[in-house]
Amino acid sequence: MRKLVLSVAVALLSSSLFADEGMWVLPLLKQQKFAEMQALGLKLGDLEVYNAEGPSLKDAVVRFGGGCTGEIISPDGLVLTNHHCGYGSIQRHSTLEHDYLTDGFWAMSRAEELPNPGLTVTFIDKIEDVTDYVMEALGKISDPNSVEFLSATYLNGLAKEKVGEAFLRENPGTEVEIKAFYGGNKYYMFTKKIYSDVRLVGAPPSSIGKFGADTDNWMWPRHTGDFSIFRVYADANGNPAPYSESNVPLRPKRWLKLSLAGVEEDDFAMIMGFPGRTNKYYTSWEVAERRDIDNAVRINIRNLRQEAMLEEMLKDPQVRIQYASKYASSTNAYKNAIGSNWAIRKRDFERVKAEEQQRLIAWSNKMCEPAYPEALLSLEKIVNDRKDLRFRSWMLDEALVRGIEFSKVPTDIEPLCQALSGKDKASRAESLAAFEQAYKRFADKDYAPAVDKKIAKVMLKEYRRLVAPESAPAYFSVIDSQFKGDVDAFVDYLFDTSIYGSQANFERFKKRPSVKALREDPMILFAQSVKDERKALAKALADFDAGYAIAHRTYVKGLLAMHGELASFPDANSTLRLTYGQVRGYSPRDCDFYGHQTTLDGVMEKEDSTNWEFVVPARLKELYKAGDFGPYQMPSGKMPVAFCATTHTTGGNSGSPVLNGNGELIGINFDRNWEGVGGDIQYLPEYQRSIIVDIRYVLFVIDKYAGAGYLLNEMELVKE
Ligand code: ARG
Ligand code: ASP
């Protein structure tokens, strides 16, 4: 009987929202979820988490660069984020003599902290519901097919109008942005303060910060110390200012306390951050499209590309270094697509979404609301009608644009052609120099023509196998007309004869540059043709995009009307959200069970000095042997490394603070398990886990491993 009651309860639950599902918008949190959070273990009042009128926890959470999250952890503007979020900055400061990627970096004084031009840290000062304001403006647009309701340019124009130019002038570094939620059924305005003097303070070696690399990426159990530390600088008044020696560390409104108490199974945990993009409101047809076109093309093409790349990487250590980062970013989205399709199939997302559609149709019929079922018909038709274009577009992007590096050779030859046709020697020399610069940016230190050539052959064969000749870039016709369909011969010809085919070819061209050579260069023609085809496809798809946006908005409006506005949360859109849940392991398959906490023992178990992904630094081994874990160890005496929780996160949540019931920092979010990435479409309570580096491991590495314990002096550590 009890079992029956339980399964009824579970069934009821699963028909609506799962307990830990949700990326909540802060202004609605109190009405929507606060009671539930407190029941689960949150000890703070709502105003301590989010307060529209004064400082709250949310003021310690920042957007780090363009795609990650970070958190402020000291009154002097220290920011924590992931190693993979700081990776680009760490790499740019690295040279053969100072290889910070390999060896790590620690500023031993503030003077040693390294500036990073282009890197920003963004605070969200204010969040306002501006739905009425935006709807009123949109009401003045007469074109029924207008998609201004999603246009960033249009919406940000409205935001500027709302606050006025004077406000922006008086507040340097402040920007306003209006974002569409629920497909354009609701709008929030964000007042942001953007700091652009952000300096690198510390990073562990990659053998800690990226331990397990691609093999362990999207995997639990995990043993990566994925963190790095920066500091925000401001002018003397605390305002954003470009890098200057006279800038001073920012005195932030809020910073987080760090907890040494650790986590236990079922403990409450919450995460604030900037999730990028989810597709909770997909229809069943879009689920199928994602599975059969988007994900399928990506999996097929990247698998072939990575195989070819890896073969070359294993043969040549030079290539291994050159292609490490390209390989990593390729496999990152590849593994995600595999996990996504696994979940779509195993959990039958098509049916789950179809049932939701059926509920909406039945409800609409009862309520006499024909617009919602009509929107569904439109969506079904659009997805069906765009099939071919979408497939071609994904094939083009994956196989040609991303797959073949030389499809991105510089094609802007006009300035040089003109200079060469003229008589002016100086402008010829100048144009030629600019042309060479562009070539060098393309053929940089990480470009290996032999690898590109090998991969291009594989990519082109697969592309031609799957895409009809009349649907391919126009230039591809020469493969049949001049090379009898022999792709290998065609690619060899490109490398043999193009200006860009080799350094030697380029030098030869430089000695006798000619307009004819430029205009007839086969790689330039190839690249230009791929670009043209991409443009044509985007244009053809734009009509569908507009119809889609309009129908999607109506569909989501229907769901909001049926379920009630407060029952749901909007898809991720790179705005500040909160998710909460519990610390918990999971079972990936029958009779296989994963715990919630990993330890340094696991690092040693995975150690493999012959495999770059699993090398353990000598100093870490010494500390392990000596059991020298200081105050960071668990009661059992083991050294914690990472833990996982049921929180609902996605890409963009990397670097997000993970907080306990007191609002203290217990870890930094950095990944998900691959069985859980389907949660971008449908939350998976039994599978989806956020992967989090334990704050005690972070502090141990700073203090014991790196000897940068002085940084701890400016932090607030909480022992109990
Ligand atoms: N999978 C994680 C996130 O998307 C981490 C990616 C970085 N790590 C890597 N090995 N590529 O995006
Ligand atoms: N690793 C992701 C990120 O970089 C997080 C995730 O996809 O769960 O944001």
Side-chain angles (χ1 to χ4, degrees):
M1 184 60 198
R2 258 182 53 195
K3 256 193 186 152
L4 189 73
V5 172
L6 202 80
S7 56
V8 168
V10 167
L12 275 178
L13 221 112
S14 58
S15 70
S16 61
L17 216 60
F18 294 108
D20 301 324
E21 178 178 16
M23 301 173 175
W24 306 97
V25 180
L26 292 176
L28 293 180
L29 192 64
K30 186 180 174 196
Q31 285 159 280
Q32 290 186 299
K33 286 290 154 189
F34 221 77
E36 199 177 301
M37 288 167 71
Q38 286 176 321
L40 270 181
L42 175 65
K43 299 200 184 67
L44 302 177
D46 64 292
L47 291 179
E48 293 173 272
V49 177
Y50 171 70
N51 182 353
E53 310 298 331
S56 55
L57 271 187
K58 81 114 174 47
D59 293 300
V61 185
V62 297
R63 191 158 158 92
F64 186 86
C68 280
T69 303
E71 52 275 5
I72 306 286
I73 53 159
S74 90
D76 282 344
L78 267 191
V79 185
L80 266 185
T81 188
N82 291 142
H83 185 263
H84 80 261
C85 295
Y87 201 78
S89 304
I90 305 165
Q91 178 176 40
R92 274 186 285 283
H93 288 296
S94 296
T95 59
L96 276 180
E97 297 80 55
H98 303 285
D99 187 350
Y100 302 141
L101 276 183
T102 305
D103 306 327
F105 167 78
W106 298 94
M108 285 303 170
S109 70
R110 296 208 173 153
E112 285 179 18
E113 297 175 357
L114 300 171
N116 301 282
L119 180 62
T120 56
V121 156
T122 304
F123 290 81
I124 305 301
D125 278 350
K126 210 163 162 190
I127 310 174
E128 294 162 89
D129 184 340
V130 293
T131 309
D132 293 342
Y133 168 72
V134 174
M135 291 301 182
E136 197 189 319
L138 287 170
K140 294 182 189 132
I141 300 174
S142 54
D143 176 5
N145 296 319
S146 159
V147 280
E148 295 286 44
F149 68 91
L150 288 186
S151 150
T153 322
Y154 174 81
L155 294 172
N156 292 335
L158 286 184
K160 273 198 194 123
E161 253 171 57
K162 188 164 169 62
V163 298
E165 292 290 337
F167 170 81
L168 295 174
R169 230 177 304 117
E170 284 154 21
N171 292 282
T174 296
E175 283 182 15
V176 284
E177 181 181 35
I178 292 180
K179 283 261 195 174
F181 290 72
Y182 293 113
N185 285 294
K186 216 167 168 45
Y187 294 89
Y188 284 95
M189 183 165 87
F190 298 84
T191 306
K192 310 184 290 185
K193 206 167 222 173
I194 304 175
Y195 287 85
S196 48
D197 185 351
V198 182
R199 303 186 195 168
L200 176 62
V201 173
S206 291
S207 51
I208 290 176
K210 201 183 153 87
F211 182 74
D214 300 310
T215 302
D216 270 10
N217 191 23
W218 301 116
M219 303 288 260
W220 182 259
R222 190 67 153 273
H223 297 87
T224 314
D226 196 345
F227 78 94
S228 58
I229 312 178
F230 291 76
R231 190 189 304 280
V232 186
Y233 280 76
D235 70 13
N237 302 319
N239 285 320
Y243 170 80
S244 157
E245 249 180 74
S246 64
N247 282 350
V248 293
L250 172 72
R251 310 287 304 181
K253 277 192 248 175
R254 279 298 297 257
W255 57 92
L256 299 176
K257 293 177 183 166
L258 289 70
S259 169
L260 290 179
V263 292
E264 309 251 2
E265 180 117 47
D266 292 337
D267 274 359
F268 173 83
M270 64 178 177
I271 298 182
M272 278 197 252
F274 295 83
R277 192 188 158 90
T278 55
N279 300 100
K280 175 181 164 59
Y281 297 101
Y282 263 173
T283 58
S284 57
W285 309 292
E286 292 158 88
V287 169
E289 177 182 64
R290 170 80 166 259
R291 178 192 61 210
D292 300 337
I293 299 180
D294 313 4
N295 287 344
V297 169
R298 174 161 281 174
I299 293 166
N300 175 36
I301 296 297
R302 290 195 184 202
N303 179 41
L304 293 171
R305 175 164 182 253
Q306 288 157 198
E307 245 173 41
M309 200 185 291
L310 191 61
E311 225 175 83
E312 296 304 295
M313 287 167 75
L314 291 176
K315 260 195 266 174
D316 183 345
Q318 167 85 6
V319 171
R320 206 200 70 216
I321 295 171
Q322 287 177 310
Y323 280 73
S325 168
K326 292 172 196 173
Y327 190 81
S329 65
S330 179
T331 55
N332 193 42
Y334 165 76
K335 224 169 177 175
N336 184 305
I338 292 176
S340 171
N341 267 5
W342 177 83
I344 289 173
R345 292 198 179 101
K346 270 279 177 285
R347 315 311 292 177
D348 206 351
F349 285 180
E350 232 185 318
R351 199 208 51 197
V352 172
K353 301 296 182 190
E355 283 170 1
E356 179 80 334
Q357 287 150 220
Q358 285 315 317
R359 278 192 290 274
L360 181 64
I361 292 171
W363 181 83
S364 303
N365 290 343
K366 207 171 72 197
M367 308 299 284
C368 295
E369 292 273 14
Y372 306 136
E374 276 164 25
L376 279 169
L377 286 177
S378 307
L379 288 170
E380 181 179 18
K381 181 164 164 40
I382 288 167
V383 171
N384 193 48
D385 291 352
R386 74 181 177 190
K387 253 194 190 108
D388 180 50
L389 283 172
R390 193 170 179 101
F391 177 74
R392 280 165 58 192
S393 164
W394 271 86
M395 282 298 295
L396 189 87
D397 269 348
E398 287 289 325
L400 306 182
V401 178
R402 290 175 200 268
I404 300 179
E405 290 176 88
F406 66 74
S407 72
K408 289 178 282 300
V409 293
T411 51
D412 184 18
I413 54 173
E414 284 321 309
L416 182 56
C417 284
Q418 269 174 30
L420 291 177
S421 315
K423 297 240 148 33
D424 183 2
K425 269 203 172 155
S427 91
R428 279 176 77 128
E430 204 180 293
S431 286
L432 202 56
F435 189 70
E436 181 163 16
Q437 278 310 312
Y439 166 62
K440 283 194 172 143
R441 271 195 301 278
F442 164 73
D444 63 6
K445 69 177 188 7
D446 291 336
Y447 180 66
V451 177
D452 197 16
K453 186 173 172 178
K454 171 175 173 145
I455 293 174
K457 290 176 179 173
V458 178
M459 295 288 94
L460 273 179
K461 278 176 208 161
E462 189 66 359
Y463 183 83
R464 280 167 52 88
R465 188 173 79 79
L466 296 171
V467 179
E470 64 275 13
S471 299
Y475 183 66
F476 286 21
S477 64
V478 305
I479 300 175
D480 288 319
S481 65
Q482 289 177 33
F483 297 90
K484 299 199 184 79
D486 185 344
V487 165
D488 290 347
F490 169 67
V491 174
D492 287 339
Y493 159 79
L494 293 183
F495 277 90
D496 288 346
T497 59
S498 168
I499 296 167
Y500 298 133
S502 65
Q503 188 67 38
N505 288 7
F506 194 85
E507 294 304 326
R508 213 174 302 129
F509 169 77
K510 240 172 68 184
K511 271 190 204 126
R512 306 192 54 188
S514 80
V515 174
K516 186 169 180 312
L518 284 169
R519 292 224 189 280
E520 290 173 7
D521 188 273
M523 246 183 214
I524 296 177
L525 291 171
F526 178 96
Q528 190 56 51
S529 190
V530 170
K531 274 187 203 163
D532 293 344
E533 178 65 12
R534 196 183 201 199
K535 246 199 225 138
L537 281 172
K539 193 155 169 269
L541 276 164
D543 290 338
F544 292 109
D545 292 346
Y548 172 83
I550 292 165
H552 177 75
R553 178 171 64 164
T554 307
Y555 172 54
V556 177
K557 188 176 174 189
L559 292 179
L560 289 178
M562 176 171 72
H563 292 305
E565 271 202 24
L566 288 178
S568 343
F569 61 94
D571 265 321
N573 59 355
S574 298
T575 59
L576 185 56
R577 304 292 181 93
L578 183 146
T579 166
Y580 63 91
Q582 288 171 293
V583 174
R584 188 172 300 154
Y586 70 105
S587 174
R589 58 194 85 76
D590 188 27
C591 215
D592 206 348
F593 193 82
Y594 292 151
H596 66 277
Q597 175 94 56
T598 63
T599 68
L600 208 47
D601 295 8
V603 174
M604 301 306 151
E605 282 167 6
K606 283 180 178 174
E607 183 199 6
D608 177 358
S609 60
T610 67
N611 178 351
W612 68 275
E613 295 187 293
F614 293 98
V615 170
V616 176
R619 166 127 190 88
L620 190 57
K621 283 195 266 190
E622 277 163 29
L623 290 167
Y624 177 71
K625 263 201 209 113
D628 185 3
F629 307 141
Y632 311 113
Q633 65 188 359
M634 304 195 293
S636 65
K638 291 188 183 214
M639 183 61 222
V641 171
F643 64 93
C644 62
T646 61
T647 37
H648 195 181
T649 49
T650 191
N653 268 125
S654 275
S656 298
V658 184
L659 308 166
N660 64 14
N662 299 321
E664 299 149 356
L665 190 67
I666 48 176
I668 314 170
N669 183 70
F670 71 98
D671 206 8
R672 276 169 294 160
N673 53 333
W674 74 270
E675 300 96 337
V677 299
D680 285 350
I681 300 173
Q682 182 68 41
Y683 181 75
L684 298 153
E686 64 284 61
Y687 290 116
Q688 176 157 3
R689 297 295 177 264
S690 301
I691 297 180
I692 297 154
V693 55
D694 195 305
I695 200 65
R696 291 169 295 178
Y697 189 49
V698 172
L699 292 168
F700 163 81
V701 171
I702 296 174
D703 182 4
K704 293 280 179 181
Y705 177 86
Y710 74 93
L711 285 172
L712 272 52
N713 298 338
E714 59 180 289
M715 302 176 197
E716 275 185 66
L717 304 187
V718 184
K719 299 256 151 61
E720 289 305 317

